[in-house]
Amino acid sequence: MKDVMMLLGFSMGLLTGALLYKYSQGAKEVIDQGEKKVMKEVDKMASKTEKAINKAEKKIKEGADKLEKKMKK
């Protein structure tokens, strides 16, 4: 019974949120602003990750070059 009530509560919340988004201009603006902020943070994290990957690739290449030089000696 507890699971049914939890599912019912979740469904009602989802329905309420969808109706608020559809019919309330203020709620829609708040949600859209939140989405924009989240997307900006995701973009920042993606660029930081890309920079870290590039840095790691550079260090790996340098290490491989040093190893090749040592092996040739």
Side-chain angles (χ1 to χ4, degrees), residues 1-68:
M1 187 67 177
K2 184 178 179 181
D3 294 337
V4 173
M5 295 304 277
M6 286 175 48
L7 184 60
L8 181 62
F10 178 75
S11 300
M12 292 299 292
L14 186 62
L15 181 63
T16 303
L19 290 173
L20 272 173
Y21 185 77
K22 185 174 182 180
Y23 294 111
S24 174
Q25 188 64 28
K28 190 172 186 174
E29 289 175 7
V30 168
I31 292 170
D32 290 343
Q33 287 176 357
E35 183 181 8
K36 287 177 185 176
K37 286 181 183 180
V38 168
M39 290 307 295
K40 282 182 184 179
E41 288 299 318
V42 168
D43 289 341
K44 284 181 186 177
M45 289 173 35
S47 71
K48 285 181 182 179
T49 303
E50 188 175 334
K51 287 177 184 178
I53 289 171
N54 290 338
K55 188 176 179 181
E57 287 176 345
K58 184 179 176 183
K59 286 187 177 186
I60 289 170
K61 187 175 180 182
E62 288 174 359
D65 291 343
K66 286 181 183 179
L67 184 60
E68 283 183 23

